[in-house]
Amino acid sequence: MKSAVETLNPTRVRLTVEVPFEELKDSLDAAYKKINQQVTVKGFRKGKIPARVIDQRFGRGAVLEEAVNDALPKFYTEAVNEAELNVLGQPEVDITELKDNETLNFTAEVDVRPTIEIPDYSGIEVEVDAVEVSDEDVDKAVEELRGRFASTSPVERAAEDGDVVTIDLEAKVDGEVLEDGVAKDVSYTIGSGELLEGIDDAVKGLEAGGEATFTSELKGGSAAGKESEVTVKVTQVAKRELPELDDDFAQLASEFDTLDELKADSRKRLENMKQFDQATQAQERVLEKLLELVEVPVPEKLLADEIQTRKHNLVNHQLGQMGLDLAKYLEIQGKTEEEFDAETKEQAEKGIKTQFVLDELVNKEKLNVNQEELTEHLMRRAQSSGMSPDQFAQAVVEGGQVPMLVGEVARGKALAVVVEAATVKDTKGEVIDLSDGDEDEADDSADASGEEKTEA
């Protein structure tokens, strides 16, 4: 077999392959054997029909077609490996010449990963938010904890802000009660904003046994997004009572003996959260700067496929679970379809470029993924998916997705290398040292671009 490569553009090549006919022998034998099992000829046992009889009865062309279809993937793969191409997606194959007992010639056009030059990234500088926790932040956190230990007691008066009411709901659309529009004994804290828009004004001032009707757009269910006439009946009004903020509360709500210790711990937790957010922000901004430094051509078909995948996942999975279609989603977001398409294209393009650049960095820096790193990443992915680690691992192995996970970890390590080399300052001008930080955030920054969808 002989092959040659022609570069059509930075992301696409054409392979020209010439195959001597003798190299088709194994595929021809397999073709005769397959046809033998599929046809019946009087006077011959099934599977024992001579090749010449098959040629006479069914045509040599049918055999050649079967043999070529069997052989093409093998010869294509050999040509790709010989040329050391990093191909993306499936090729477009064209048989240019097929002469019985002489030769098979074909071409294959396929997208390839572009050659990327990674520049010196040590000069990257970014600014991130400073880690600041105010007394008000601590007080708010303690108040939220206090709210979780609140008690309620029924009262015989009209409902007020902050009260917990027990209500029955009935939703109608076009005068018809929805099958999933009736709910009984729902507990709702007035002012929490956790139910329908307009419900606070409807229930305030009502005593137990009172009811009101209001109009609201449904957030979920079979009529999500539609205007509904909602009838709410209050069956109980309860006053919400918060525990006193003292040492007794600290002992009730935590492992600490005093309120001061509880507040100190809350401050530390908030600082840790803000440091995590700061590290994530640094990685996102360093990645943006890195992408600005690198020229990355994007294969058109790969981009089109990525855009289609993103739209499909949004419409059929995310919006489908919320009972919305794309038109209603765009209306809620206040976007036109053209704006949505432009944003989706931009995100898809960034995802592909991110993968290409970080993969090139993995090669340049000779980064490897060990079993411990892969296991830790698998545990995080399992947790985010709501599956047990064993279930997730089994699904990954059965789906042949182990290389994808390895790629995610490797790209996270590559991004961490760039972040460590960059200069990161906060808004106060202080240099932030992220060299000892966990690479989990880098994994998340790389994953957020959606590059796993573009795996070849």
Side-chain angles (χ1 to χ4, degrees), residues 131-345:
V131 173
E132 297 178 306
V133 177
S134 66
D135 291 342
E136 290 76 12
D137 293 330
V138 175
D139 290 342
K140 182 179 178 182
V142 173
E143 277 299 315
E144 289 176 354
L145 179 62
R146 187 185 179 200
R148 293 201 289 271
F149 285 85
S151 60
T152 58
S153 56
V155 293
E156 295 183 1
R157 60 165 172 77
E160 302 172 355
D161 268 326
D163 284 344
V164 178
V165 291
T166 303
I167 55 177
D168 297 336
L169 293 166
E170 181 183 84
K172 294 181 180 179
V173 173
D174 298 329
E176 296 291 331
V177 178
L178 299 171
E179 289 186 10
D180 55 353
V182 177
K184 299 286 187 181
D185 298 325
V186 177
S187 180
Y188 175 66
T189 301
I190 300 176
S192 67
E194 294 175 351
L195 280 178
L196 298 169
E197 186 176 344
I199 194 168
D200 289 339
D201 292 336
V203 297
K204 276 192 293 189
L206 294 181
E207 298 183 19
E211 66 176 57
T213 300
F214 64 101
T215 301
S216 182
E217 184 178 295
L218 297 178
K219 295 181 179 179
S222 61
K226 292 185 178 180
E227 287 292 321
S228 172
E229 184 182 86
V230 182
T231 299
V232 55
K233 180 178 181 180
V234 176
T235 58
Q236 179 181 275
V237 178
K239 182 181 179 181
R240 192 163 176 264
E241 298 177 336
L242 295 171
E244 290 294 325
L245 272 181
D246 52 22
D247 292 346
D248 289 339
F249 168 70
Q251 294 167 21
L252 171 68
S254 71
E255 70 271 29
F256 302 106
D257 293 327
T258 68
L259 183 60
D260 287 342
E261 289 175 331
L262 173 61
K263 287 186 175 183
D265 180 69
S266 296
R267 183 179 295 276
K268 183 62 178 175
R269 289 174 183 271
L270 290 171
E271 286 175 351
N272 290 339
M273 289 172 57
K274 286 181 178 287
Q275 285 170 351
F276 182 91
D277 292 342
Q278 185 188 64
T280 301
Q281 189 180 64
Q283 286 150 357
E284 291 172 350
R285 293 183 178 180
V286 167
L287 177 59
E288 291 282 354
K289 290 281 188 180
L290 178 63
L291 293 179
E292 290 174 7
L293 293 176
V294 187
E295 185 68 31
V296 186
V298 176
E300 291 183 9
K301 187 176 186 306
L302 185 65
L303 178 59
D305 290 345
E306 176 69 4
I307 291 171
Q308 182 59 37
T309 297
R310 287 171 180 258
K311 291 181 72 171
H312 175 82
N313 289 340
L314 174 66
V315 173
N316 295 280
H317 298 295
Q318 299 172 44
L319 298 184
Q321 291 176 355
M322 295 187 290
L324 299 175
D325 58 17
L326 183 58
K328 190 62 184 178
Y329 169 76
L330 293 178
E331 181 183 329
I332 294 172
Q333 294 291 314
K335 297 177 184 176
T336 65
E337 190 166 351
E338 290 74 18
E339 290 171 335
F340 168 76
D341 288 342
E343 286 183 9
T344 303
K345 181 181 179 181

